[in-house]
Amino acid sequence: MRSKKDILNIKQTLIDTFKDAKSELKFKNHYELIVAVMLSAQCTDKRVNLITPALFSEYPDVFAMANANLASVKMLINSCSFFNNKAENLIKMAKAVVADFNGVVPLDEASLKSLAGVGQKTAHVVMLEAVGANVMAVDTHVFRVSHRLGLSRAKTPEATEVDLVAAFKTELGKLHQAMVLFGRYTCKATKPLCKECVLAGLCKSKDKIV
């Protein structure tokens, strides 16, 4: 694991470099946010943004989605990975929001995780996007960056999240956004742009290209 000094340097560099970082998912309200985040699981934000305009046009709010036709939802999102399960979960999620939360998407972790298709990562992304919650969400980019930078050796996203929370403690939402963009465009899975990397001096990864 990294020293406290290294962790602070990594944290500050990420925050300074990506100070305006925000999700690349497009949404206008909390309903659109949770739908977009649910669709983004194992699917690119770019693909989700191509799917959601027609979906939101047909089902503009949680009440419409709660009464949606399953076949119609499947058709609208069929270019998304695991669209069959996601379509079912979107409708179940909306029904629960209507029945249990008076049609208002909840923004606390326990309530969010009670919804179909919403695990810890999805709940945390919704929370940090909606209210700036001090939570970390570990997707494939954050997982890769964390391990390359020696911030975690954990085998699962959940355990990696624990390591990151312990290391960074504060500004976790900002760091999530920064690490997503950093992993997506610089610290890529293949052919990382090490010569352009702001953290090159702190990176000891075996994947480092010198």
Side-chain angles (χ1 to χ4, degrees), residues 169-188:
K169 296 182 177 62
T170 62
E171 299 184 279
L172 299 177
K174 290 182 180 179
L175 286 162
H176 162 78
Q177 301 285 31
M179 292 174 81
V180 168
L181 295 182
F182 178 61
R184 185 173 290 161
Y185 297 112
T186 302
C187 194
K188 299 185 289 185

Side-chain angles (χ1 to χ4, degrees), residues 1-18:
M1 298 296 288
R2 305 304 298 252
S3 67
K4 289 184 178 179
K5 180 180 178 181
D6 283 352
I7 290 170
L8 182 61
N9 284 339
I10 290 169
K11 178 179 182 178
Q12 200 58 52
T13 300
L14 285 169
I15 289 175
D16 290 346
T17 304
F18 298 93

